């Protein structure tokens, strides 16, 4: 029987204790940190995890961003420098949701400078909206918003304040070339839910030609049924030219865009490639045919039904502007491999991105942050995309080059007139020195194309 020296025994115990401490330390390093519910750290650690998984630019996420920041501020710190569209909202914090006069009241304000005076001008009013019910219409000029006279220094802040307010009071005037400005009228509008008829259409008889004009305000889920009815009427009327007005269409659902494209494109089959989504390493590359893109959300109307109302055309005219974005730009870019697309108007926004809502539902019965990150970039069947700077029109024309603004669908309206005459102006445009002003922030436009791959 051997005897172990006491110093050896003590050394063995110390070494064993060291190994135990090292093991526990390694366990602590590998174990995820658990944060207390309701804290900024609890929300931000989840935000970071989702962005690492879904965000298109996940390899460019910054390091060592403080988890103690307010979640809204933390999310913004994670965004890639060229990302204009991702955002995050919290259901119990209304101030985090994008604010726009269109969403709140149902109309669009643009700003111009004319004879050294700044005016707002209403170019779009949604049907059955608070704005329409209060008497607003396209072409009205705005002198003051909530009592504030407009100037070059305050028009953006005045717009933003109005978008966030519960009511809006406008001093408005009409204008005609014959009579100039009318007397000022005051109109008050109360914020409420806005219901829009997404489609307005008519058959225009012009130079002995029947032309189908369709104006679409938004690519809503379920739009396919309305499109089917409109193009059935166009077919019955034997139209030979189609004009699609997307000047005030900020986007929406890719399936309803696929529905319109399925109607317009000549000689396509259901399994022809319509769109490609390119994401990060986790999202990969997703190809969708016309039929596959359609059934993501538009599963009530079959591809074959849409094809049955295809007009006999080889070219489509699209009216564009600086509010044309997202799913509207898909119509322009993704039809080009299959037909001639002539774009008339102004450069589009450049939202060549898609995504879906990522919700924090970790706490039962309590809604957390909802992320809307850019997840995919969009490409057509020829692998053409990357229009982040916008899509240039084939024929450029500013609808505000004249002070008198006609209703949409009126053949005297500047951009429609250009399209009716195949890009040739019906008459020389007067130089009234109207300068169109641009809001630095793009209000009232969807963040990106909405998708559902489930």
């Amino acid at each position: 029987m051997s005897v172990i020296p006491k110093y050896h025994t003590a050394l063995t115990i110390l070494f064993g204790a060291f190994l135990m401490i090292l093991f526990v330390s390694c366990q602590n390093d590998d174990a995820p940190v658990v944060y207390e519910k309701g804290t900024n750290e609890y929300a931000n650690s989840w935000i970071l995890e989702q962005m690492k998984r879904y965000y298109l630019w996940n390899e460019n996420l910054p390091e060592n961003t403080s988890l103690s920041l307010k979640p809204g501020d933390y999310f913004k710190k994670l965004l890639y420098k060229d990302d204009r569209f991702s955002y995050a909202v919290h259901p119990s914090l209304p101030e985090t949701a994008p604010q726009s006069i269109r969403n709140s009241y149902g109309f669009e304000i643009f700003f111009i400078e004319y004879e050294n005076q700044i005016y707002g001008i209403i170019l779009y009013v949604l049907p059955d909206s608070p704005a329409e019910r209060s008497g607003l219409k396209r072409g009205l000029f705005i002198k003051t918003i909530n009592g504030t006279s407009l100037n070059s220094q305050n028009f953006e802040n005045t717009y933003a304040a109005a978008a966030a307010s519960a009511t809006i009071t406008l001093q408005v005037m009409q204008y005609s070339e014959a009579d100039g400005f009318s007397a000022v009228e005051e109109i008050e509008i109360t914020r409420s839910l806005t219901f829009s008829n997404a489609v307005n259409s008519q058959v225009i008889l012009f130079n002995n030609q029947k032309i189908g004009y369709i104006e679409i305000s938004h690519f809503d889920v379920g739009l396919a049924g309305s499109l089917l009815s409109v193009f059935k009427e166009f077919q019955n009327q034997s139209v030979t030219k189609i004009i699609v007005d997307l000047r005030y269409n900020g986007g929406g659902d890719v399936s309803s865009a696929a529905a319109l494209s399925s109607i317009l494109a000549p000689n396509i089959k259901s399994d022809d490639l319509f769109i490609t989504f390119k994401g990060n390493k986790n999202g990969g590359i997703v190809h969708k045919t016309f039929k596959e893109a359609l059934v993501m959300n538009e599963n009530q109307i079959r591809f074959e039904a849409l094809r049955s109302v295809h007009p006999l055309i080889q070219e489509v005219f699209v009216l564009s502007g600086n509010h044309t974005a997202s799913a509207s730009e898909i119509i322009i870019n993704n039809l080009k491999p299959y037909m001639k697309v002539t774009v008339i108007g102004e450069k589009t926004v450049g939202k060549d991105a898609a995504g879906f809502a990522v919700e924090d539902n970790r706490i039962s019965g309590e809604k957390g942050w909802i992320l809307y990150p850019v997840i995919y970039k969009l490409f057509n069947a020829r692998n053409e995309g990357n229009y982040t700077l916008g899509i240039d029109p084939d024929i450029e024309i500013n609808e505000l080059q004249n002070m008198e603004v006609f209703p949409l669908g009126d053949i005297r309206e500047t951009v429609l007139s250009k399209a009716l005459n195949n890009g040739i102006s019906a008459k020389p445009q007067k130089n009234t020195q109207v300068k169109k002003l641009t809001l630095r922030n793009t209000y009232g436009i969807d963040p990106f194309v909405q998708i559902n791959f489930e």
Side-chain angles (χ1 to χ4, degrees), residues 101-108 124-137 189-197:
I101 285 178
R102 174 171 174 151
N103 293 339
S104 300
Y105 300 101
F107 70 104
E108 298 271 20
Y124 194 68
V125 179
L126 287 167
D128 194 28
S129 65
E132 185 187 58
R133 293 191 292 270
S134 298
L136 290 191
K137 60 183 180 180
I189 313 167
T190 301
R191 177 199 295 263
S192 65
L193 292 176
T194 294
F195 302 93
S196 64
N197 177 13

Side-chain angles (χ1 to χ4, degrees), residues 261 264-268 272-276 290 314 316 329-341 379-385 387:
S261 300
L264 292 174
N267 305 317
I268 59 166
D272 285 334
L273 179 61
F274 174 61
I275 191 167
T276 295
F290 280 88
Q314 298 294 318
V316 64
E329 291 169 300
I330 288 178
I331 299 299
I332 297 171
N333 188 59
N334 290 45
L335 277 176
K336 286 183 177 179
Y338 298 101
M339 68 187 306
K340 183 179 180 181
V341 180
F379 299 83
N380 66 19
R382 293 197 296 240
N383 200 35
E384 296 166 335
Y387 45 87

